[in-house]
Amino acid sequence: MSAISIGQALVLGAVEGVTEFLPVSSTGHLKIAEGLMGIPVGDKAVVGFSAVIQVGAIAAALVYFFKDIVRIMGAWFRGLGNREERYHHDYKFAWWVLYATLPIVVVGLAAKPLIEGPLASLWVVAGSLILGSGVMWAADQMGRHKRGEDDTSLKDAMWVGCSQILALLFPGFSRSGATMSTALILDLERVAATRLSFFLGIPALTGAGIYELKDAIGSGTSVVPLAVGTVVSFAVAYASIAWLLKFVAKHSFNSFVIYRIVIGVFLFGLLSAGMVG
């Protein structure tokens, strides 16, 4: 069995909180951190721990976007009993988030052995970091950044929701990077693309954390490190969300593209030198 210490939980919680919503791959950074600390990245307890502390980051998103979520859910409940309310964008958007989450749930359950096995390799992470950088750069250049959040449609939500599968199968690609890039290709402005990525991530990542809870607790990791990692993840993620929304309002994604390439090359170097594995 593999136990994660409180000190390691602090580090992993901070890494998760910083990177969950930035388009740099939280999974990739967690695996790098785990590798450098000598934690077996493919161990069930470690995979479960990583999924559970994501709930802390998702809780931060729930708190940060609380007013938006209440507004959207309120419109959804009103629409269930009032036909006229069903024409409201918020009512439709609530359904779109649910529909757009189904593909990643189906693929996640079907491909679980691959995701936790061969695809968990740090070599895959390094390659996906670099490949995802090219996709992100191209998307930012291609997108016309002319559509706002109120202009989104079911088609937009489904395309963006399906793009989460890339990060699921290729850790390092980044769920945020994949969803934001897809939204940019669909001509959404950067802030709208970022917010859509947040809303689509909430049900998918919360479900993953709950699903993996039994493995995290039952495979050797105690409740205390899990709690520490989750709380740290929450606090750091809240600050990260606030920073990201301000950043994308005035800047392109080029800084993230460059950073991802550097980290990908650095990881390839570590792997080649046998420093992580």
Side-chain angles (χ1 to χ4, degrees):
M1 294 193 297
S2 174
I4 294 176
S5 70
I6 293 177
Q8 291 170 333
L10 280 168
V11 173
L12 295 177
V15 171
E16 164 64 23
V18 170
T19 60
E20 179 57 56
F21 297 111
L22 301 186
V24 296
S25 175
S26 61
T27 301
H29 280 74
L30 283 171
K31 289 184 180 298
I32 291 173
E34 291 162 1
L36 290 174
M37 290 190 291
I39 301 171
V41 299
D43 188 276
K44 276 191 174 183
V46 177
V47 174
F49 178 90
S50 299
V52 171
I53 64 172
Q54 283 180 335
V55 176
I58 297 305
L62 288 170
V63 173
Y64 192 92
F65 293 106
F66 182 73
K67 290 183 180 179
D68 295 293
I69 294 170
V70 169
R71 188 191 75 244
I72 293 168
M73 293 306 297
W76 185 70
F77 280 113
R78 289 193 302 272
L80 292 178
N82 187 332
R83 183 181 297 272
E84 292 183 2
E85 290 286 342
R86 296 173 191 173
Y87 295 99
H88 197 286
H89 183 270
D90 286 340
Y91 171 80
K92 292 185 284 186
F93 184 77
W95 280 113
W96 298 344
V97 170
L98 293 175
Y99 296 151
T101 302
L102 292 177
I104 193 172
V105 172
V106 173
V107 174
L109 292 175
K112 193 172 188 288
L114 284 175
I115 295 167
E116 296 181 356
L119 293 178
S121 165
L122 286 174
W123 290 97
V124 174
V125 172
S128 299
L129 275 164
I130 296 173
L131 178 62
S133 300
V135 173
M136 187 182 301
W137 179 84
D140 208 10
Q141 300 301 310
M142 291 168 57
R144 289 178 287 179
H145 315 292
K146 67 176 186 177
R147 299 172 57 208
E149 192 173 338
D150 290 338
D151 297 322
T152 55
S153 64
L154 173 59
K155 184 177 76 171
D156 296 325
M158 291 304 297
W159 275 111
V160 174
C162 287
S163 70
Q164 296 180 110
I165 295 171
L166 286 171
L168 186 66
L169 297 178
F170 304 105
F173 203 98
S174 167
R175 190 204 64 82
S176 295
T179 53
M180 291 178 192
S181 296
T182 302
L184 290 174
I185 292 173
L186 295 169
D187 293 330
L188 269 68
E189 61 186 20
R190 293 188 183 96
V191 173
T194 303
R195 284 172 59 86
L196 181 58
S197 174
F198 285 142
F199 289 128
L200 286 174
I202 290 172
L205 294 176
T206 300
I210 294 172
Y211 182 80
E212 296 288 355
L213 182 60
K214 63 182 186 304
D215 288 337
I217 295 177
S219 300
T221 300
S222 70
V223 174
V224 175
L226 271 176
V228 169
T230 303
V231 170
V232 171
S233 173
F234 171 86
V236 177
Y238 190 91
S240 179
I241 292 169
W243 176 84
L244 179 61
L245 287 171
K246 292 180 180 178
F247 181 85
V248 298
K250 299 180 179 180
H251 302 85
S252 72
F253 286 97
N254 289 341
S255 298
F256 296 117
V257 170
I258 295 170
Y259 174 79
R260 289 171 57 104
I261 293 173
V262 171
I263 291 297
V265 172
F266 173 69
L267 181 54
F268 270 129
L270 291 177
L271 288 166
S272 299
M275 297 178 66
V276 297

